[in-house]
Amino acid sequence: MLTIVIRSILIYLIVLIIFRLMGKRQLGQMQPFELVLTLIIADLATIPMAEVSVPVLHGIIPLFTLVVLHFILTLISRNSSICSKIISGKPVIIINPKGIDYKAMKKLNLSTDDVFAALRECGYFSISQIQYAIMETNGKVSVMPKAESSPATVSDLNIEANESFLPIVLVNEGKFMKDNLALSGLSEEEVRNIILKNSKNKTFKLYDVLLFTVDQAGEGYLQFKKGEGITFKTKGLKAL
């Protein structure tokens, strides 16, 4: 029993040193190769802790081998942009001034729900507020808001601003959001008519709609899977 305790303490200290050498980045900030190394290190560390028959050295050597591999990959990524793209990938623009980049979104295996969740984490609740949104190689989303939506503009200049409202998604990737329709007080037919009125496509199918949102103030956002996103004014939500 004492042997297991001593081995556990030793391995713990070694793993602690390894992660200190690797840097202080959190899991959400790690590049793909760093996350893979972290998972393997965690798995390797448990073997010499629990298996007394396995020499401690047989557990320590693979751990330090991975640390050396980590520094080699980091050095390669730092000195070669091509290798960096292969190892870590490259940032991808998922929202541009035209709206959501549907092809980029599908390439990254993202849904509009994923995009909205990422924007909310950055403090933005409407696509119309965003100039650019970029999916970084570590999985985080960086947002550049439009000038009128920048956090400092209203308060710093003492400009009176209208109340903000939370947009509700009524159509998401070609499907009606039933619960949100009930919340908005709008029927499917009314939503179709609003889309028809505010789009150039007069023969559209629901499947063609990537995203349609509206808020209490009547600010609507519409984007087809092929085409640019547009904002417009409508009557707003009835139930809120």
Side-chain angles (χ1 to χ4, degrees), residues 17-54:
I17 292 170
I18 287 173
F19 279 110
R20 290 289 290 163
L21 291 173
M22 288 177 64
K24 294 185 177 181
R25 286 201 270 189
Q26 300 175 356
L27 284 177
Q29 300 172 324
M30 288 183 175
Q31 299 295 337
F33 75 92
E34 292 175 320
L35 181 58
V36 170
L37 286 173
T38 300
L39 295 174
I40 295 175
I41 287 172
D43 191 48
L44 284 175
T46 59
I47 297 174
M49 280 186 181
E51 297 291 338
V52 182
S53 59
V54 177

mmCIF file of all heavy atoms in Angstrom, residues 17-54:
data_model
loop_
_atom_site.group_PDB
_atom_site.id
_atom_site.type_symbol
_atom_site.label_atom_id
_atom_site.label_comp_id
_atom_site.label_asym_id
_atom_site.label_seq_id
_atom_site.Cartn_x
_atom_site.Cartn_y
_atom_site.Cartn_z
ATOM 1 N N ILE A 17 4.963 18.905 -13.105
ATOM 2 C CA ILE A 17 6.129 19.560 -13.719
ATOM 3 C C ILE A 17 5.965 19.627 -15.234
ATOM 4 O O ILE A 17 6.252 20.646 -15.876
ATOM 5 C CB ILE A 17 7.435 18.805 -13.356
ATOM 6 C CG1 ILE A 17 7.726 18.968 -11.853
ATOM 7 C CG2 ILE A 17 8.609 19.329 -14.174
ATOM 8 C CD1 ILE A 17 8.848 18.077 -11.360
ATOM 9 N N ILE A 18 5.469 18.530 -15.816
ATOM 10 C CA ILE A 18 5.277 18.470 -17.270
ATOM 11 C C ILE A 18 4.309 19.546 -17.735
ATOM 12 O O ILE A 18 4.565 20.267 -18.709
ATOM 13 C CB ILE A 18 4.784 17.076 -17.686
ATOM 14 C CG1 ILE A 18 5.929 16.059 -17.578
ATOM 15 C CG2 ILE A 18 4.217 17.092 -19.110
ATOM 16 C CD1 ILE A 18 5.503 14.627 -17.798
ATOM 17 N N PHE A 19 3.172 19.680 -17.038
ATOM 18 C CA PHE A 19 2.187 20.683 -17.449
ATOM 19 C C PHE A 19 2.691 22.097 -17.212
ATOM 20 O O PHE A 19 2.326 23.015 -17.951
ATOM 21 C CB PHE A 19 0.864 20.457 -16.710
ATOM 22 C CG PHE A 19 0.015 19.387 -17.328
ATOM 23 C CD1 PHE A 19 -0.183 18.177 -16.689
ATOM 24 C CD2 PHE A 19 -0.576 19.588 -18.567
ATOM 25 C CE1 PHE A 19 -0.954 17.190 -17.255
ATOM 26 C CE2 PHE A 19 -1.356 18.607 -19.144
ATOM 27 C CZ PHE A 19 -1.542 17.398 -18.490
ATOM 28 N N ARG A 20 3.524 22.270 -16.208
ATOM 29 C CA ARG A 20 4.143 23.584 -15.999
ATOM 30 C C ARG A 20 5.090 23.918 -17.152
ATOM 31 O O ARG A 20 5.160 25.054 -17.604
ATOM 32 C CB ARG A 20 4.889 23.603 -14.667
ATOM 33 C CG ARG A 20 3.992 23.579 -13.435
ATOM 34 C CD ARG A 20 3.268 24.889 -13.247
ATOM 35 N NE ARG A 20 4.201 25.936 -12.854
ATOM 36 C CZ ARG A 20 3.944 27.223 -12.922
ATOM 37 N NH1 ARG A 20 2.792 27.635 -13.385
ATOM 38 N NH2 ARG A 20 4.840 28.111 -12.539
ATOM 39 N N LEU A 21 5.807 22.899 -17.635
ATOM 40 C CA LEU A 21 6.712 23.098 -18.764
ATOM 41 C C LEU A 21 5.949 23.400 -20.047
ATOM 42 O O LEU A 21 6.409 24.171 -20.891
ATOM 43 C CB LEU A 21 7.593 21.854 -18.962
ATOM 44 C CG LEU A 21 8.643 21.578 -17.884
ATOM 45 C CD1 LEU A 21 9.302 20.229 -18.131
ATOM 46 C CD2 LEU A 21 9.693 22.685 -17.862
ATOM 47 N N MET A 22 4.779 22.801 -20.181
ATOM 48 C CA MET A 22 3.979 22.991 -21.384
ATOM 49 C C MET A 22 3.310 24.359 -21.422
ATOM 50 O O MET A 22 2.868 24.814 -22.474
ATOM 51 C CB MET A 22 2.912 21.899 -21.492
ATOM 52 C CG MET A 22 3.476 20.530 -21.841
ATOM 53 S SD MET A 22 2.199 19.251 -21.880
ATOM 54 C CE MET A 22 1.158 19.812 -23.229
ATOM 55 N N GLY A 23 3.218 25.045 -20.292
ATOM 56 C CA GLY A 23 2.595 26.366 -20.259
ATOM 57 C C GLY A 23 1.313 26.356 -19.458
ATOM 58 O O GLY A 23 0.851 25.315 -18.979
ATOM 59 N N LYS A 24 0.714 27.547 -19.308
ATOM 60 C CA LYS A 24 -0.448 27.721 -18.444
ATOM 61 C C LYS A 24 -1.761 27.776 -19.205
ATOM 62 O O LYS A 24 -2.780 28.178 -18.647
ATOM 63 C CB LYS A 24 -0.289 29.017 -17.630
ATOM 64 C CG LYS A 24 0.863 28.980 -16.640
ATOM 65 C CD LYS A 24 0.885 30.238 -15.798
ATOM 66 C CE LYS A 24 1.988 30.170 -14.748
ATOM 67 N NZ LYS A 24 2.024 31.384 -13.900
ATOM 68 N N ARG A 25 -1.781 27.408 -20.458
ATOM 69 C CA ARG A 25 -3.004 27.504 -21.231
ATOM 70 C C ARG A 25 -4.059 26.532 -20.719
ATOM 71 O O ARG A 25 -3.760 25.391 -20.365
ATOM 72 C CB ARG A 25 -2.728 27.237 -22.709
ATOM 73 C CG ARG A 25 -2.022 28.391 -23.372
ATOM 74 C CD ARG A 25 -2.200 28.352 -24.860
ATOM 75 N NE ARG A 25 -1.152 27.591 -25.498
ATOM 76 C CZ ARG A 25 -0.972 27.531 -26.803
ATOM 77 N NH1 ARG A 25 -1.763 28.185 -27.601
ATOM 78 N NH2 ARG A 25 -0.007 26.824 -27.313
ATOM 79 N N GLN A 26 -5.302 26.988 -20.702
ATOM 80 C CA GLN A 26 -6.410 26.149 -20.294
ATOM 81 C C GLN A 26 -6.810 25.239 -21.448
ATOM 82 O O GLN A 26 -6.398 25.421 -22.588
ATOM 83 C CB GLN A 26 -7.599 27.011 -19.866
ATOM 84 C CG GLN A 26 -7.281 27.924 -18.694
ATOM 85 C CD GLN A 26 -8.422 28.849 -18.370
ATOM 86 O OE1 GLN A 26 -9.432 28.867 -19.072
ATOM 87 N NE2 GLN A 26 -8.283 29.616 -17.318
ATOM 88 N N LEU A 27 -7.669 24.255 -21.143
ATOM 89 C CA LEU A 27 -8.071 23.293 -22.168
ATOM 90 C C LEU A 27 -8.696 23.971 -23.377
ATOM 91 O O LEU A 27 -8.439 23.599 -24.518
ATOM 92 C CB LEU A 27 -9.068 22.285 -21.565
ATOM 93 C CG LEU A 27 -8.473 21.207 -20.659
ATOM 94 C CD1 LEU A 27 -9.585 20.350 -20.097
ATOM 95 C CD2 LEU A 27 -7.473 20.345 -21.402
ATOM 96 N N GLY A 28 -9.527 24.998 -23.141
ATOM 97 C CA GLY A 28 -10.188 25.680 -24.233
ATOM 98 C C GLY A 28 -9.260 26.507 -25.085
ATOM 99 O O GLY A 28 -9.635 26.975 -26.155
ATOM 100 N N GLN A 29 -8.029 26.722 -24.625
ATOM 101 C CA GLN A 29 -7.075 27.526 -25.371
ATOM 102 C C GLN A 29 -6.019 26.678 -26.075
ATOM 103 O O GLN A 29 -5.148 27.205 -26.734
ATOM 104 C CB GLN A 29 -6.372 28.508 -24.420
ATOM 105 C CG GLN A 29 -7.326 29.471 -23.725
ATOM 106 C CD GLN A 29 -6.637 30.285 -22.652
ATOM 107 O OE1 GLN A 29 -5.755 29.787 -21.955
ATOM 108 N NE2 GLN A 29 -7.032 31.525 -22.516
ATOM 109 N N MET A 30 -6.085 25.367 -25.920
ATOM 110 C CA MET A 30 -5.072 24.487 -26.481
ATOM 111 C C MET A 30 -5.279 24.266 -27.973
ATOM 112 O O MET A 30 -6.412 24.216 -28.461
ATOM 113 C CB MET A 30 -5.093 23.126 -25.775
ATOM 114 C CG MET A 30 -4.551 23.157 -24.362
ATOM 115 S SD MET A 30 -4.521 21.504 -23.643
ATOM 116 C CE MET A 30 -3.699 21.832 -22.077
ATOM 117 N N GLN A 31 -4.161 24.120 -28.675
ATOM 118 C CA GLN A 31 -4.210 23.700 -30.055
ATOM 119 C C GLN A 31 -4.534 22.202 -30.091
ATOM 120 O O GLN A 31 -4.350 21.492 -29.102
ATOM 121 C CB GLN A 31 -2.871 23.966 -30.739
ATOM 122 C CG GLN A 31 -2.465 25.422 -30.773
ATOM 123 C CD GLN A 31 -3.409 26.266 -31.613
ATOM 124 O OE1 GLN A 31 -4.097 25.754 -32.489
ATOM 125 N NE2 GLN A 31 -3.444 27.563 -31.328
ATOM 126 N N PRO A 32 -5.025 21.664 -31.230
ATOM 127 C CA PRO A 32 -5.393 20.244 -31.288
ATOM 128 C C PRO A 32 -4.282 19.300 -30.836
ATOM 129 O O PRO A 32 -4.529 18.358 -30.080
ATOM 130 C CB PRO A 32 -5.735 20.043 -32.764
ATOM 131 C CG PRO A 32 -6.213 21.380 -33.220
ATOM 132 C CD PRO A 32 -5.382 22.374 -32.467
ATOM 133 N N PHE A 33 -3.030 19.538 -31.289
ATOM 134 C CA PHE A 33 -1.945 18.620 -30.925
ATOM 135 C C PHE A 33 -1.636 18.697 -29.428
ATOM 136 O O PHE A 33 -1.229 17.708 -28.814
ATOM 137 C CB PHE A 33 -0.686 18.881 -31.760
ATOM 138 C CG PHE A 33 0.106 20.107 -31.378
ATOM 139 C CD1 PHE A 33 1.141 20.018 -30.458
ATOM 140 C CD2 PHE A 33 -0.177 21.339 -31.945
ATOM 141 C CE1 PHE A 33 1.882 21.131 -30.111
ATOM 142 C CE2 PHE A 33 0.561 22.449 -31.605
ATOM 143 C CZ PHE A 33 1.591 22.358 -30.682
ATOM 144 N N GLU A 34 -1.857 19.860 -28.813
ATOM 145 C CA GLU A 34 -1.625 19.993 -27.372
ATOM 146 C C GLU A 34 -2.693 19.242 -26.578
ATOM 147 O O GLU A 34 -2.389 18.615 -25.557
ATOM 148 C CB GLU A 34 -1.639 21.474 -26.986
ATOM 149 C CG GLU A 34 -0.470 22.267 -27.542
ATOM 150 C CD GLU A 34 -0.560 23.744 -27.249
ATOM 151 O OE1 GLU A 34 -1.664 24.296 -27.335
ATOM 152 O OE2 GLU A 34 0.477 24.344 -26.925
ATOM 153 N N LEU A 35 -3.925 19.298 -27.049
ATOM 154 C CA LEU A 35 -5.010 18.584 -26.376
ATOM 155 C C LEU A 35 -4.799 17.081 -26.457
ATOM 156 O O LEU A 35 -5.007 16.358 -25.471
ATOM 157 C CB LEU A 35 -6.351 18.964 -27.002
ATOM 158 C CG LEU A 35 -7.592 18.303 -26.393
ATOM 159 C CD1 LEU A 35 -7.704 18.624 -24.913
ATOM 160 C CD2 LEU A 35 -8.848 18.739 -27.133
ATOM 161 N N VAL A 36 -4.367 16.598 -27.639
ATOM 162 C CA VAL A 36 -4.088 15.164 -27.807
ATOM 163 C C VAL A 36 -2.988 14.716 -26.845
ATOM 164 O O VAL A 36 -3.106 13.680 -26.180
ATOM 165 C CB VAL A 36 -3.696 14.852 -29.269
ATOM 166 C CG1 VAL A 36 -3.182 13.423 -29.392
ATOM 167 C CG2 VAL A 36 -4.873 15.069 -30.193
ATOM 168 N N LEU A 37 -1.897 15.505 -26.776
ATOM 169 C CA LEU A 37 -0.808 15.171 -25.853
ATOM 170 C C LEU A 37 -1.280 15.155 -24.411
ATOM 171 O O LEU A 37 -0.888 14.284 -23.619
ATOM 172 C CB LEU A 37 0.334 16.183 -26.017
ATOM 173 C CG LEU A 37 1.205 16.043 -27.275
ATOM 174 C CD1 LEU A 37 2.167 17.210 -27.379
ATOM 175 C CD2 LEU A 37 1.978 14.732 -27.251
ATOM 176 N N THR A 38 -2.140 16.095 -24.048
ATOM 177 C CA THR A 38 -2.657 16.171 -22.689
ATOM 178 C C THR A 38 -3.456 14.924 -22.332
ATOM 179 O O THR A 38 -3.307 14.356 -21.237
ATOM 180 C CB THR A 38 -3.547 17.416 -22.524
ATOM 181 O OG1 THR A 38 -2.773 18.581 -22.804
ATOM 182 C CG2 THR A 38 -4.092 17.518 -21.107
ATOM 183 N N LEU A 39 -4.301 14.477 -23.258
ATOM 184 C CA LEU A 39 -5.115 13.283 -23.013
ATOM 185 C C LEU A 39 -4.244 12.036 -22.879
ATOM 186 O O LEU A 39 -4.485 11.179 -22.010
ATOM 187 C CB LEU A 39 -6.133 13.100 -24.140
ATOM 188 C CG LEU A 39 -7.207 14.193 -24.263
ATOM 189 C CD1 LEU A 39 -8.059 13.966 -25.500
ATOM 190 C CD2 LEU A 39 -8.086 14.224 -23.014
ATOM 191 N N ILE A 40 -3.222 11.929 -23.728
ATOM 192 C CA ILE A 40 -2.330 10.761 -23.660
ATOM 193 C C ILE A 40 -1.536 10.766 -22.369
ATOM 194 O O ILE A 40 -1.362 9.723 -21.715
ATOM 195 C CB ILE A 40 -1.383 10.739 -24.879
ATOM 196 C CG1 ILE A 40 -2.181 10.547 -26.164
ATOM 197 C CG2 ILE A 40 -0.351 9.624 -24.740
ATOM 198 C CD1 ILE A 40 -1.343 10.633 -27.425
ATOM 199 N N ILE A 41 -1.037 11.947 -21.966
ATOM 200 C CA ILE A 41 -0.281 12.057 -20.718
ATOM 201 C C ILE A 41 -1.133 11.639 -19.533
ATOM 202 O O ILE A 41 -0.673 10.908 -18.642
ATOM 203 C CB ILE A 41 0.238 13.500 -20.530
ATOM 204 C CG1 ILE A 41 1.384 13.776 -21.503
ATOM 205 C CG2 ILE A 41 0.704 13.742 -19.092
ATOM 206 C CD1 ILE A 41 1.841 15.224 -21.525
ATOM 207 N N ALA A 42 -2.389 12.081 -19.515
ATOM 208 C CA ALA A 42 -3.298 11.725 -18.422
ATOM 209 C C ALA A 42 -3.505 10.212 -18.351
ATOM 210 O O ALA A 42 -3.568 9.626 -17.265
ATOM 211 C CB ALA A 42 -4.627 12.437 -18.602
ATOM 212 N N ASP A 43 -3.597 9.574 -19.523
ATOM 213 C CA ASP A 43 -3.804 8.130 -19.555
ATOM 214 C C ASP A 43 -2.541 7.374 -19.133
ATOM 215 O O ASP A 43 -2.600 6.405 -18.366
ATOM 216 C CB ASP A 43 -4.227 7.711 -20.969
ATOM 217 C CG ASP A 43 -4.706 6.273 -21.022
ATOM 218 O OD1 ASP A 43 -5.532 5.902 -20.167
ATOM 219 O OD2 ASP A 43 -4.252 5.526 -21.912
ATOM 220 N N LEU A 44 -1.389 7.836 -19.625
ATOM 221 C CA LEU A 44 -0.124 7.174 -19.283
ATOM 222 C C LEU A 44 0.192 7.274 -17.797
ATOM 223 O O LEU A 44 0.763 6.356 -17.205
ATOM 224 C CB LEU A 44 1.022 7.787 -20.093
ATOM 225 C CG LEU A 44 1.124 7.398 -21.567
ATOM 226 C CD1 LEU A 44 2.229 8.198 -22.237
ATOM 227 C CD2 LEU A 44 1.403 5.903 -21.713
ATOM 228 N N ALA A 45 -0.180 8.395 -17.203
ATOM 229 C CA ALA A 45 0.165 8.628 -15.798
ATOM 230 C C ALA A 45 -0.545 7.658 -14.858
ATOM 231 O O ALA A 45 -0.043 7.351 -13.770
ATOM 232 C CB ALA A 45 -0.167 10.069 -15.413
ATOM 233 N N THR A 46 -1.704 7.160 -15.264
ATOM 234 C CA THR A 46 -2.461 6.269 -14.381
ATOM 235 C C THR A 46 -1.874 4.858 -14.323
ATOM 236 O O THR A 46 -2.101 4.128 -13.352
ATOM 237 C CB THR A 46 -3.928 6.165 -14.847
ATOM 238 O OG1 THR A 46 -3.961 5.660 -16.187
ATOM 239 C CG2 THR A 46 -4.601 7.529 -14.803
ATOM 240 N N ILE A 47 -1.126 4.467 -15.360
ATOM 241 C CA ILE A 47 -0.610 3.086 -15.426
ATOM 242 C C ILE A 47 0.406 2.802 -14.320
ATOM 243 O O ILE A 47 0.225 1.849 -13.531
ATOM 244 C CB ILE A 47 -0.015 2.801 -16.820
ATOM 245 C CG1 ILE A 47 -1.111 2.907 -17.890
ATOM 246 C CG2 ILE A 47 0.637 1.417 -16.856
ATOM 247 C CD1 ILE A 47 -0.607 2.775 -19.310
ATOM 248 N N PRO A 48 1.494 3.573 -14.182
ATOM 249 C CA PRO A 48 2.443 3.275 -13.114
ATOM 250 C C PRO A 48 1.896 3.561 -11.713
ATOM 251 O O PRO A 48 2.435 3.061 -10.727
ATOM 252 C CB PRO A 48 3.637 4.197 -13.431
ATOM 253 C CG PRO A 48 3.066 5.301 -14.240
ATOM 254 C CD PRO A 48 1.957 4.692 -15.019
ATOM 255 N N MET A 49 0.830 4.356 -11.633
ATOM 256 C CA MET A 49 0.227 4.605 -10.320
ATOM 257 C C MET A 49 -0.460 3.356 -9.772
ATOM 258 O O MET A 49 -0.318 3.000 -8.606
ATOM 259 C CB MET A 49 -0.817 5.731 -10.411
ATOM 260 C CG MET A 49 -0.249 7.131 -10.420
ATOM 261 S SD MET A 49 -1.610 8.341 -10.358
ATOM 262 C CE MET A 49 -0.690 9.870 -10.416
ATOM 263 N N ALA A 50 -1.218 2.702 -10.628
ATOM 264 C CA ALA A 50 -2.041 1.574 -10.181
ATOM 265 C C ALA A 50 -1.361 0.218 -10.339
ATOM 266 O O ALA A 50 -1.618 -0.704 -9.568
ATOM 267 C CB ALA A 50 -3.369 1.576 -10.936
ATOM 268 N N GLU A 51 -0.492 0.092 -11.354
ATOM 269 C CA GLU A 51 0.145 -1.195 -11.632
ATOM 270 C C GLU A 51 1.526 -1.246 -10.968
ATOM 271 O O GLU A 51 2.494 -0.689 -11.477
ATOM 272 C CB GLU A 51 0.283 -1.399 -13.145
ATOM 273 C CG GLU A 51 -1.038 -1.474 -13.890
ATOM 274 C CD GLU A 51 -1.806 -2.734 -13.568
ATOM 275 O OE1 GLU A 51 -1.185 -3.734 -13.118
ATOM 276 O OE2 GLU A 51 -3.034 -2.731 -13.753
ATOM 277 N N VAL A 52 1.596 -1.923 -9.860
ATOM 278 C CA VAL A 52 2.866 -2.031 -9.128
ATOM 279 C C VAL A 52 3.880 -2.835 -9.935
ATOM 280 O O VAL A 52 5.097 -2.629 -9.812
ATOM 281 C CB VAL A 52 2.645 -2.690 -7.745
ATOM 282 C CG1 VAL A 52 3.953 -2.761 -6.961
ATOM 283 C CG2 VAL A 52 1.607 -1.925 -6.954
ATOM 284 N N SER A 53 3.410 -3.748 -10.774
ATOM 285 C CA SER A 53 4.314 -4.593 -11.562
ATOM 286 C C SER A 53 5.026 -3.805 -12.659
ATOM 287 O O SER A 53 6.038 -4.257 -13.198
ATOM 288 C CB SER A 53 3.521 -5.750 -12.191
ATOM 289 O OG SER A 53 2.485 -5.258 -13.026
ATOM 290 N N VAL A 54 4.502 -2.625 -12.997
ATOM 291 C CA VAL A 54 5.126 -1.778 -14.025
ATOM 292 C C VAL A 54 6.160 -0.875 -13.370
ATOM 293 O O VAL A 54 5.833 -0.115 -12.462
ATOM 294 C CB VAL A 54 4.072 -0.904 -14.744
ATOM 295 C CG1 VAL A 54 4.745 0.018 -15.763
ATOM 296 C CG2 VAL A 54 3.031 -1.786 -15.414
#
